[in-house]
Amino acid sequence: MRDVKGGRAGGGEGGASRRPYRSAMREEAARRTRGAVVRAAAELFTARGYAATSLADIAAAAGVARPTVFAAFGSKPALLRQVVDQALAGDDEPVPVARRPWFRPVWDAATPEEVLDAYARVCTTIGARAAAVFEVVRRAADEGPQVAELWDALRRNRRAGARMVAEHAAAKGPLKDGLERAVDVLWIFNDPAHYDALVTQCGWPEADFTAWLSEQMRRGLLAP
């Protein structure tokens, strides 16, 4: 309507019909560029570390100019935050983790045991994608207030996730030591550092890690 009323289409009906198509192409090109930058940043941050990686390094690896990276993300801490977000979610769609299809089995579980089994699988999925990036943020947390805040936010979000799952488990059956202790236990075990230690460093198969994690969660939350 703005084009019609303001006369900004500039090309009659033909110009008006082409504008949305050109806009969609530009948006898709911008999304591909952002994706390339995020992938390059994730690879360089995990390989070199946050402090040793510059925006110029990331731009070169992504095949774009440094101003393009700056225009898309604004700063290196903001880019790191986007890397973390996509590692957690698996893509750049604005859908919360708890609403992802791979989280659905947690909500569909009928017993506390099934809730924890499903959550162990969720933690394995997230660990596979995000453990290395979490370690980057942890190590870089003293590089400046923005990265320190990101690290604090990750810890707060993990605890919020633990509370959400603990409350759901409690709704399905009793917890042996109460809700707050259950939140504490899940907050410890949903740390991707466990995946990094046992799968990445020790070479455990993911299925073994998931089974171990589920067993630890059950022991911590449920009566024998």
Side-chain angles (χ1 to χ4, degrees), residues 26-76:
R26 286 195 298 269
E27 290 174 1
E28 180 58 28
R31 183 174 182 176
R32 287 198 301 269
T33 297
R34 286 174 61 87
V37 171
V38 170
R39 288 191 296 273
E43 291 174 4
L44 292 178
F45 286 154
T46 55
R48 301 181 183 178
Y50 177 80
T53 302
S54 68
L55 290 182
D57 295 332
I58 295 167
V64 300
R66 184 185 182 281
T68 300
V69 176
F70 186 82
F73 298 98
S75 66
K76 192 165 75 164

Side-chain angles (χ1 to χ4, degrees), residues 129-155:
R129 289 198 298 252
V133 176
F134 266 61
E135 182 63 11
V136 168
V137 180
R138 185 189 69 79
R139 292 184 179 184
D142 60 352
E143 296 291 331
Q146 289 176 293
V147 181
E149 169 55 28
L150 175 58
W151 179 242
D152 287 342
L154 289 176
R155 297 181 69 192

Side-chain angles (χ1 to χ4, degrees), residues 81-107:
R81 182 179 293 272
Q82 185 63 30
V83 168
V84 171
D85 286 347
Q86 289 194 206
L88 285 168
D91 56 44
D92 62 351
E93 295 294 333
V95 180
V97 165
R99 296 181 182 176
R100 297 275 172 168
W102 43 267
F103 203 97
R104 187 72 234 173
V106 174
W107 304 128

Side-chain angles (χ1 to χ4, degrees), residues 88 123 126-127 130-132 134 158 189-197 209:
L88 285 168
C123 291
I126 291 176
F134 266 61
R158 283 200 303 106
F189 284 117
N190 71 7
D191 189 341
H194 298 304
Y195 181 98
D196 182 58
F209 173 76

